[in-house]
């Protein structure tokens, strides 16, 4: 059974930084897509960033230049470094993983982006940014 556990959320002032972590258990995928998503109260869930097993990344326009998604050295770990945080970044952040079944295809039009139908999700970690 796939399990994803997020950590690293918290409360910071605008302009601050946080690093979110996601640790996965119960799976071993050769080719996969992992992503970070967020949902603020009263809003729909939105994609933040994705990374495939080859290390290709995609970012939402709202976080480009401020957030960095990266795979950890340990198996099935994922990070999201968030800098220059803004009050609009306040949300519950979730990680997700999806096996691709084929080799990763890079780029926004490829097979790893926030439009992927992810099957497995973590429980989320709360990020609150105050002005």
């Amino acid at each position: 059974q796939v399990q994803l556990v997020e950590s690293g959320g918290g409360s910071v002032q605008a302009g601050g930084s946080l690093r979110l972590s996601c640790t996965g258990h119960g799976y071993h995928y050769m080719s996969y897509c992992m992503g970070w998503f967020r949902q603020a109260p009263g809003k729909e869930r939105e994609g933040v960033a994705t990374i495939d097993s080859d290390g290709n990344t995609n970012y939402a326009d709202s976080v480009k230049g401020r957030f960095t998604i990266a795979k950890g050295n340990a198996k099935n770990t994922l990070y999201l470094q968030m800098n220059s945080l803004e009050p609009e970044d306040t949300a519950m952040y979730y990680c997700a993983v999806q096996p691709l079944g084929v080799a990763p295809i890079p780029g926004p039009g490829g097979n790893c982006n926030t439009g992927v139908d992810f099957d497995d999700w973590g429980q989320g970690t709360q990020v609150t940014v105050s002005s």
Side-chain angles (χ1 to χ4, degrees), residues 4-130:
L4 298 170
V5 180
E6 302 95 335
S7 62
S11 297
V12 295
Q13 289 192 323
S17 298
L18 284 172
R19 188 175 85 151
L20 305 184
S21 300
C22 173
T23 302
H25 303 277
Y27 66 92
H28 176 69
Y29 302 138
M30 295 299 293
S31 179
Y32 59 83
C33 180
M34 292 192 80
W36 286 100
F37 295 76
R38 65 187 182 186
Q39 188 167 20
K43 295 188 176 181
E44 291 188 355
R45 186 177 63 201
E46 66 169 332
V48 175
T50 58
I51 187 167
D52 65 32
S53 41
D54 283 349
N56 302 300
T57 58
N58 283 304
Y59 293 92
D61 288 342
S62 59
V63 306
K64 280 181 183 176
R66 300 188 299 123
F67 291 10
T68 302
I69 188 171
K71 296 184 292 178
N73 291 328
K75 181 181 173 182
N76 295 344
T77 58
L78 181 70
Y79 299 106
L80 184 69
Q81 178 67 43
M82 305 186 295
N83 298 328
S84 301
L85 282 160
E86 303 167 352
E88 293 74 23
D89 297 316
T90 295
M92 185 72 80
Y93 283 71
Y94 301 89
C95 69
V97 66
Q98 181 66 25
L100 292 177
V102 295
I105 301 171
N111 58 1
C112 181
N113 52 61
T114 56
V116 167
D117 187 15
F118 287 87
D119 285 339
D120 295 296
W121 297 80
Q123 295 299 306
T125 185
Q126 178 68 38
V127 172
T128 303
V129 185
S130 58

